[in-house]
Amino acid sequence: MTAAESSGSIPTLVTSSHDDASKTDRSSTPPNVHNLMPQGTPITHKLSKSQPFTSNHLFRDFRVTEMRHEITGRIVGPVAASDFVDDNLPAVNAPRVIKELMSKLYNKMEEVKGKAEIVMYKKWTDALNESFKQFNMKLHDIHARPAPDFQGKTVKPDIGLYFSGVEFPPQPEPVVEDSLPLEDIEILHGCKVEPSDDPFRDEDPQFEASTSQARDTLGQVTTYATAHLAAQFRTHVFLVLIFPTYARLMRWDRAGVVVTEKIPYNSSVIADFYLRYCYATPAARGHDTSAQKLSDPTVEASALALDDVRRKLGVPENCPLYRLSLGEGNGGYIVGKPTYMGISSPTGRSTRTFIAFCEATKKPVFLKDTWRVTTNGQLPEHKVYERLHANKVQNIAQCKEGADILNHATTTHLAANKYFPDRQFPRIRTFRHYRLVLLDIGRDLCSFDNVKEFVGAMRDATIAHEDAYFLAHILHRDISVGNILIKDNGDGVLVDWDLCKDLEGTSASHAIERTGTWQFIAACLLLNRGLVHEREDDLESFYHVLHWVALRFTCHELKPHSLGHQLRALFGESFRDMDGHPVGGYAKRSELISGSTNKDANFKNKGLALLLQMVRRVVMVRYQDFDLDEEEESRRQRREQQLRERFSFTALFTALLQRDDQLWDENKDRVENEITIVDEKGNELKRKSENELLPRQPLKLSSISEGGEDAEEHPTKRHCSEALKTRKL
């Protein structure tokens, strides 16, 4: 008699293929392979008093709402529970263990009916931990432990599955920062008492529930999964959503999430899922096996002097090192703290960049780890660099190599096609894990030494953009502060070509989404979802970059309050229309036409002030009315010609840079302007950094068509000038 049978109540077993004794048994205990935690994630290690990402939230949070918007349209379900487990984890032949585990879980969950949510945490962990001892895994009640902050808010899931060897200190009193080891977690769990909190409705063809409680839950679990993916090197993660009488299993990757139907506790599937997970390989559990922690005893140090590596990379002793590979036949690269983390969205490219130590050459290089879009045949970035160099494009980085990583690809679309062939999922794209290595390592554009160096780097980037367009027939499409670097000699370099458009083909001309950095996208593209991204839009983005850096890091007369307001209004304006689509650009358009912010700022460097005026007047012609007098119309046509002709836009920068130094010497130094912003409660917050005003990661604009039969005229389009109506749709 099993322990479950001797315990009394044994539920009726819902038979499924999971109890088939003919399936392969794995006798070995799964290895204790810890997750990999790169340092420098957006999890900023500060404890917030407000915790809207907890399961017991009392109010809605803007970021939760945005997370829900991000994942809407990328949810595949309800998938049969048995199919979900079969698709994702290898079978384990252990019917006795499964039945015993199911019995314990059923009995424990019977005790939570009518009880508070906190009771669920203990019952669930107790039921499973009694059986997990032999599998080197353990569930922990983590609801009272603050995870490191994610996107400025504390993340507090309810239950976490860990390997038994993970150090898990007792809950401190009072709660202190970083008491939850999120970097080691295997599976996150969320618990809800009320069925109305379930974000899904199995009987509804739309599947996603529309009540406020359900939407809040969807935003919360999306935040949990996003934080989990951000804290580790991962291809996918699993999450369990628990209710008193049933649970749901979820699999998240960079394309979306697959969700099961309701799974009652008299089903063997939940027990089978945990058992399979315990025996699964690290790759099946979602770990990126091409990233290895050098302190792991299973990883050879390859006779490297790691202290020397740390010195060359500028990595402190307490920062872990990892070896990232580019696949068979490619070299290995040692990395430490990322220089950039674009991982705050549940879906998308999830870009991380590093200064890496090349094991082959023993020299530092620049390494980019990302998930590239493959839906529309987008060129891998190293292929773009090959084409740019073949056409002698200036001011671009030297590419060492690039490669897709192992078999890492998103699979959400496969589940959609397999289980819902008649349902449309236009927001689900396919991504491929990819790494790129560049020989050039540049400084951030904002780290310029003086104004003339900043403007020179901007000029060099416009030359690269111009050459790429006219010589290689490549349109960049993501001009932003983070994509212009300054080399040691002061020259500027335009990088990050993975969103570019091949003008000789159709690979990206009908993209499902317009992807870029919101703060610098042309106003007309933010106002009009149907417009195709063109060269003139990138030129306008150059102006927005020039303007933003000038406001943040050069001398002017704006006070902290005014500066904070202008930065938010011009570069952060965003709201959703009635269809849930993000809209902005009104303030940008007004500023381009009036130039009022520049007048108020009264920039103290004469060269910069004159350049801002000249460039603004050129890019604003697209927003001017046609009802002009003869002299104004003549000026408009000249400026429009400057915008369209090769060399003309770059010449604006070059002409001023060639003027005598007197134009640039006065107030030439970089300054860190103080910003005062006001939070939602009216409290003043002084900032030296721009984190709150400028998220550095690209923001995906949901469901924005770039042409094709689905393109529709946005209601705000009528407010733009007639000039916009001449563009291709």
Side-chain angles (χ1 to χ4, degrees):
M1 179 180 291
T2 67
E5 290 168 338
S6 62
S7 65
S9 173
I10 300 179
T12 303
L13 179 63
V14 178
T15 59
S16 72
S17 61
H18 299 79
D19 298 317
D20 186 351
S22 65
K23 295 192 176 180
T24 305
D25 185 18
R26 294 187 178 191
S27 56
S28 61
T29 301
N32 188 356
V33 181
H34 291 181
N35 295 1
L36 302 174
M37 170 65 176
Q39 293 293 104
T41 71
I43 301 172
T44 56
H45 305 294
K46 71 174 184 178
L47 182 61
S48 173
K49 292 182 179 179
S50 62
Q51 297 167 349
F53 292 159
T54 65
S55 184
N56 302 334
H57 67 287
L58 299 178
F59 59 93
R60 297 187 193 95
D61 180 82
F62 173 76
R63 289 176 179 82
V64 169
T65 302
E66 286 303 302
M67 285 290 184
R68 192 255 302 169
H69 279 298
E70 285 275 346
I71 203 62
T72 295
R74 299 181 173 95
I75 302 169
V76 178
V79 172
S82 57
D83 290 333
F84 177 94
V85 176
D86 285 338
D87 288 345
N88 291 293
L89 297 167
V92 176
N93 182 20
R96 182 191 62 80
V97 176
I98 292 173
K99 187 173 182 179
E100 177 183 328
L101 188 59
M102 180 197 71
S103 174
K104 290 178 180 178
L105 187 60
Y106 179 88
N107 290 333
K108 291 289 186 181
M109 295 308 289
E110 280 289 299
E111 299 174 13
V112 308
K113 292 180 180 179
K115 303 289 181 63
E117 183 180 302
I118 195 171
V119 178
M120 298 174 67
Y121 311 153
K122 178 172 175 53
K123 297 299 182 182
W124 190 274
T125 56
D126 287 350
L128 295 173
N129 282 339
E130 292 176 17
S131 300
F132 273 173
K133 292 177 182 178
Q134 59 182 308
F135 301 123
N136 203 24
M137 293 263 190
K138 187 174 183 180
L139 281 163
H140 291 271
D141 172 359
I142 57 178
H143 84 278
R145 293 175 178 269
D149 282 2
F150 177 72
Q151 289 295 287
K153 298 292 182 180
T154 303
V155 181
K156 288 178 49 176
D158 299 321
I159 299 171
L161 177 64
Y162 291 82
F163 278 105
S164 299
V166 173
E167 183 179 349
F168 208 99
Q171 175 65 41
E173 292 290 346
V175 173
V176 297
E177 299 178 6
D178 306 337
S179 63
L180 173 63
L182 189 61
E183 69 273 14
D184 294 313
I185 206 159
E186 285 288 325
I187 301 177
L188 287 172
H189 301 66
C191 297
K192 291 293 179 183
V193 171
E194 298 297 332
S196 59
D197 286 325
D198 191 345
F200 310 111
R201 300 288 182 267
D202 290 359
E203 65 282 356
D204 188 340
Q206 297 299 319
F207 189 46
E208 186 180 331
S210 59
T211 65
S212 59
Q213 302 100 306
R215 289 180 172 183
D216 283 354
T217 303
L218 180 57
Q220 288 170 18
V221 295
T222 303
T223 303
Y224 297 164
T226 305
H228 194 177
L229 287 165
Q232 304 169 9
F233 288 106
R234 279 278 191 167
T235 59
H236 60 274
V237 296
F238 293 98
L239 187 145
V240 182
L241 186 55
I242 304 166
F243 295 88
T245 60
Y246 65 91
R248 294 185 187 273
L249 304 177
M250 311 172 79
R251 182 195 184 276
W252 303 74
D253 63 22
R254 285 299 167 185
V257 58
V258 180
V259 185
T260 68
E261 62 192 353
K262 295 177 181 178
I263 309 173
Y265 297 128
N266 63 342
S267 167
S268 64
V269 176
I270 295 176
D272 190 25
F273 166 76
Y274 281 112
L275 188 63
R276 291 187 187 211
Y277 192 92
C278 287
Y279 277 105
T281 63
R285 295 197 303 270
H287 295 286
D288 176 4
T289 55
S290 69
Q292 297 175 300
K293 193 172 182 178
L294 286 180
S295 60
D296 192 315
T298 64
V299 180
E300 294 183 5
S302 66
L304 287 171
L306 293 185
D307 289 340
D308 185 51
V309 173
R310 289 183 183 277
R311 181 182 57 79
K312 290 183 177 181
L313 296 181
V315 176
E317 187 176 350
N318 62 349
C319 177
L321 296 176
Y322 300 86
R323 176 183 290 119
L324 306 183
S325 69
L326 270 68
E328 295 251 348
N330 298 84
Y333 298 89
I334 299 175
V335 301
K337 180 180 179 179
T339 58
Y340 168 80
M341 297 284 286
I343 41 67
S344 62
S345 171
T347 61
R349 296 180 295 160
S350 185
T351 301
R352 315 174 198 227
T353 63
F354 304 85
I355 304 302
F357 180 83
C358 176
E359 292 184 286
T361 64
K362 305 295 187 290
K363 294 180 179 179
V365 294
F366 177 87
L367 187 145
K368 176 179 178 179
D369 180 272
T370 190
W371 288 77
R372 67 180 186 88
V373 180
T374 61
T375 305
N376 296 288
Q378 188 86 27
L379 286 173
E381 194 169 1
H382 69 282
K383 294 293 185 183
V384 176
Y385 272 104
E386 288 177 7
R387 184 154 145 192
L388 294 174
H389 282 292
N391 287 277
K392 303 188 185 311
V393 174
Q394 304 173 73
N395 303 328
I396 59 172
Q398 296 294 316
C399 179
K400 183 177 185 297
E401 62 177 330
D404 290 331
I405 306 303
L406 303 177
N407 63 344
H408 298 173
T410 56
T411 61
T412 300
H413 69 290
L414 298 178
N417 296 335
K418 179 179 180 180
Y419 297 113
F420 305 98
D422 299 326
R423 191 189 300 179
Q424 297 297 313
F425 294 92
R427 296 191 70 196
I428 294 179
R429 299 183 292 173
T430 58
F431 295 84
R432 191 78 168 80
H433 193 192
Y434 175 80
R435 289 190 180 122
L436 177 78
V437 179
L438 302 178
L439 296 176
D440 295 303
I441 300 174
R443 289 184 283 126
D444 189 285
L445 179 66
C446 298
S447 67
F448 61 89
D449 293 327
N450 57 70
V451 173
K452 194 170 185 179
E453 182 182 65
F454 156 53
V455 172
M458 289 286 299
R459 186 270 316 272
D460 294 342
T462 67
I463 292 173
H465 183 270
E466 188 173 77
D467 284 357
Y469 184 85
F470 287 102
L471 301 179
H473 308 296
I474 294 289
L475 180 62
H476 189 280
R477 299 201 306 172
D478 189 18
I479 303 301
S480 69
V481 167
N483 291 340
I484 301 173
L485 303 179
I486 303 175
K487 296 170 66 174
D488 288 342
N489 62 3
D491 292 344
V493 178
L494 184 59
V495 298
D496 206 3
W497 295 84
D498 58 342
L499 295 179
C500 73
K501 179 177 178 180
D502 179 2
L503 300 174
E504 294 179 352
T506 58
S507 62
S509 60
H510 297 286
I512 293 172
E513 298 179 343
R514 193 193 310 288
T515 308
T517 308
W518 178 276
Q519 288 77 9
F520 308 113
I521 293 175
C524 57
L525 296 181
L526 300 181
L527 289 164
N528 301 270
R529 293 189 299 114
L531 291 181
V532 177
H533 194 129
E534 295 184 345
R535 172 176 172 266
E536 291 77 15
D537 299 311
D538 275 4
L539 299 187
E540 182 183 324
S541 293
F542 276 114
Y543 172 75
H544 295 312
V545 171
L546 181 72
H547 195 200
W548 184 86
V549 176
L551 288 168
R552 281 294 290 116
F553 301 110
T554 73
C555 187
H556 54 69
E557 293 183 356
L558 288 179
K559 302 301 181 184
H561 271 95
S562 297
L563 180 56
H565 171 74
Q566 293 290 0
L567 288 169
R568 275 193 160 179
L570 291 176
F571 303 99
E573 178 193 27
S574 173
F575 59 93
R576 292 187 182 271
D577 62 18
M578 289 187 297
D579 297 323
H581 300 126
V583 179
Y586 290 99
K588 276 183 183 175
R589 183 184 62 186
S590 297
E591 169 58 28
L592 285 171
I593 294 172
S594 69
S596 59
T597 301
N598 292 345
K599 295 173 187 174
D600 294 339
N602 190 21
F603 291 99
K604 297 306 180 181
N605 183 274
K606 294 179 181 178
L608 178 62
L610 185 55
L611 179 64
L612 282 164
Q613 177 179 311
M614 292 169 60
V615 176
R616 181 188 65 80
R617 287 176 174 174
V618 169
V619 298
M620 61 89 71
V621 298
R622 301 194 297 163
Y623 303 95
Q624 280 186 302
D625 294 327
F626 282 113
D627 188 17
L628 304 172
D629 62 34
E630 185 175 341
E631 184 179 351
E632 290 173 333
E633 176 60 22
S634 177
R635 279 199 299 266
R636 190 196 67 79
Q637 289 180 5
R638 287 198 304 270
R639 289 166 180 165
E640 189 175 59
Q641 189 174 4
Q642 283 182 299
L643 194 63
R644 295 176 183 265
E645 283 187 349
R646 187 181 177 187
F647 304 124
S648 295
F649 188 79
T650 295
L652 297 172
F653 292 79
T654 302
L656 284 179
L657 287 168
Q658 291 175 345
R659 297 270 293 270
D660 57 65
D661 287 339
Q662 262 191 332
L663 193 67
W664 298 99
D665 282 348
E666 189 176 354
N667 295 295
K668 66 179 181 179
D669 295 331
R670 179 188 183 277
V671 297
E672 189 91 18
N673 290 311
E674 186 177 274
I675 305 166
T676 299
I677 60 175
V678 180
D679 65 14
E680 62 274 9
K681 297 180 181 179
N683 299 318
E684 291 186 2
L685 302 172
K686 290 188 177 181
R687 299 288 186 195
K688 283 290 187 181
S689 70
E690 192 61 14
N691 292 337
E692 186 164 346
L693 298 170
L694 179 66
R696 293 298 300 275
Q697 72 279 356
L699 176 115
K700 295 178 295 302
L701 309 184
S702 304
S703 302
I704 296 182
S705 173
E706 286 203 327
E709 295 180 356
D710 293 333
E712 60 183 56
E713 185 172 351
H714 194 279
T716 59
K717 186 173 182 179
R718 61 180 176 272
H719 296 293
C720 292
S721 74
E722 292 296 318
L724 292 178
K725 295 184 179 179
T726 64
R727 296 179 56 177
K728 293 182 293 183
L729 294 177

